[in-house]
Amino acid sequence: MIVYHPDYQKHILSPGHPESPKRLEAIVERLKKESLFNVLEPEKASVEQISKVHAPDYINTIKNVGFIDMEAPVHPETFDIASLAAGGVITAGKYAFENKSPVFALVRPPGHHSGKDYGGGFCYFNNAAIGVKNLNKKTAIIDIDLHHGNGTSDIFYEDKDVLYISTHQTGIFPGTGRIEETGNKKGEGFNVNIPFTVGCGDKSFDLAFEKIIKPIVEQFAPEMLFVSFGGDAHYMDTLGNLSLSSPRYASLCEKITNLAKNVCNSRLCFVLEGGYHLTALSEVIAGIVGSWHNKKIDYEFTNIRDADGIGNNIVENVVDVQKKYWEV
Ligand SMILES: [Zn+2]
């Protein structure tokens, strides 16, 4: 199932910006071509629902078209579209939970760089966090966007009922997501960072999944699994330097789907974050949704750039830190 609304394409961050309506246009076109576009229409999240994550002053600043961040300019229509994006994830999460069936929330603007009282990195409201808070179950969030989801990490940093795991490229925006950031107070041990270096891709992500993500999520035993999905860790993406290929990107997500099947009865919700190469982004998403329907996708970008796991030492360093909290 897909959650989508045509108004998501009305958000224009600034003319010519890579986080553009063309992204969803390309994804929708590809899903339609593969007969995978079965849509559930969302409603706007209410201020009350958004308030479960964001501070009232911050919500009002967006509503009143004020300034939040250079990389997240607020326009007159921003509040309504951002509320509809948050509502999309609430709808998707609820549907996935009730029907025990995976859902992909194809929303814009993205959300994982947005914290309680700040935005940035093309994000206004933290859609995934709003979905999690409104469902209110024991939840694991796996964030496989190129960038660290600093907003999501901050929101749940002291929360033992929400496990946050992020793979990302180190040394780029937003600069957070070090291995040593493991959560605080009651949330200590419930924050897991896998900061990859330039070039890490297919094999490194496999290692991260097998040695860290899978065992920790199994031991955490969530009732619900969210994935902050960014397509920008692809080797075609121009915003970063990780090197996932299309088939292995999709198969990583298929492994996450199987994990959700085993730990939480397929209560699984994917949320769109970044991803800026239109063909790469849309073929990977088609591959993910296709895997839910036993449909094979023909990929254009199949080069394996990291066959040997150049990020193995990073994975081992994460294991060293996390073994204090988990059997890894
Ligand atoms: Zn990103």
Side-chain angles (χ1 to χ4, degrees):
M1 184 63 76
I2 304 293
V3 168
Y4 171 77
H5 196 291
D7 284 359
Y8 293 150
Q9 296 198 18
K10 291 182 182 165
H11 171 62
I12 296 168
L13 196 143
S14 59
H17 196 282
E19 203 295 276
S20 84
K22 290 199 179 96
R23 300 174 60 232
L24 281 183
E25 214 174 278
I27 297 165
V28 168
E29 193 185 316
R30 182 65 188 253
L31 289 174
K32 281 184 175 164
K33 193 183 138 203
E34 307 285 354
S35 306
L36 293 168
F37 196 61
N38 307 311
V39 172
L40 191 63
E41 267 215 9
E43 286 176 14
K44 276 182 212 164
S46 65
V47 168
E48 194 192 335
Q49 288 172 320
I50 297 168
S51 301
K52 290 186 178 166
V53 167
H54 295 290
D57 282 355
Y58 177 72
I59 298 171
N60 280 329
T61 302
I62 296 176
K63 197 171 183 178
N64 299 327
V65 200
F67 178 83
I68 57 165
D69 190 278
M70 290 288 282
E71 291 294 332
V74 181
H75 306 296
E77 68 282 7
T78 304
F79 178 78
D80 281 340
I81 305 177
S83 300
L84 190 60
V89 180
I90 295 174
T91 302
K94 204 172 164 220
Y95 183 94
F97 190 84
E98 285 172 0
N99 295 280
K100 298 177 187 151
S101 164
V103 181
F104 207 125
L106 291 175
V107 298
R108 282 185 69 244
H112 73 153
H113 296 306
S114 166
K116 186 177 182 216
D117 54 6
Y118 63 88
F122 326 154
C123 300
Y124 303 83
F125 294 142
N126 193 314
N127 306 314
I130 291 168
V132 168
K133 282 279 195 181
N134 280 279
L135 195 61
N136 197 25
K137 304 289 175 191
K138 186 178 180 185
T139 298
I141 303 170
I142 302 174
D143 186 331
I144 57 169
D145 190 275
L146 166 76
H147 303 95
H148 178 237
N150 56 319
T152 315
S153 173
D154 274 355
I155 289 162
F156 298 112
Y157 208 64
E158 296 183 356
D159 194 332
K160 65 172 176 44
D161 297 316
V162 179
L163 169 70
Y164 179 74
I165 304 180
S166 174
T167 55
H168 46 270
Q169 183 180 337
T170 186
I172 58 169
F173 178 85
T176 47
R178 290 174 305 113
I179 293 175
E180 296 75 23
E181 294 168 25
T182 54
N184 193 24
K185 295 182 181 169
K186 282 184 179 165
E188 194 188 339
F190 297 95
N191 202 283
V192 181
N193 288 309
I194 307 163
F196 282 132
T197 47
V198 170
C200 289
D202 292 343
K203 183 67 181 175
S204 298
F205 275 82
D206 276 354
L207 292 168
F209 182 82
E210 295 301 334
K211 293 185 176 179
I212 302 165
I213 300 173
K214 183 168 179 271
I216 293 182
V217 171
E218 282 173 350
Q219 288 160 63
F220 179 69
E223 296 169 280
M224 175 77 196
L225 182 59
F226 278 79
V227 178
S228 265
F229 174 85
D232 40 6
H234 196 288
Y235 67 74
M236 288 302 292
D237 205 279
T238 50
L239 261 63
N241 307 95
L242 297 184
S243 70
L244 279 169
S245 65
S246 294
R248 297 286 279 276
Y249 223 134
S251 74
L252 171 70
C253 294
E254 205 175 336
K255 286 179 192 172
I256 294 173
T257 301
N258 288 331
L259 179 63
K261 193 175 174 185
N262 294 333
V263 298
C264 53
N265 287 317
S266 298
R267 290 178 165 118
L268 171 65
C269 178
F270 275 68
V271 179
L272 182 63
E273 302 287 357
Y276 305 95
H277 188 280
L278 301 180
T279 310
L281 176 66
S282 47
E283 73 179 6
V284 171
I285 291 179
I288 297 165
V289 180
S291 77
W292 300 343
H293 300 277
N294 291 317
K295 187 178 170 76
K296 287 269 167 284
I297 300 299
D298 286 328
Y299 298 108
E300 191 175 331
F301 302 116
T302 58
N303 298 337
I304 308 291
R305 302 265 176 100
D306 173 20
D308 301 326
I310 57 172
N312 187 41
N313 61 324
I314 297 158
V315 170
E316 290 304 329
N317 291 342
V318 178
V319 166
D320 270 347
V321 169
Q322 291 295 333
K323 68 185 178 197
K324 186 175 165 193
Y325 310 106
W326 309 95
E327 277 178 42
V328 282

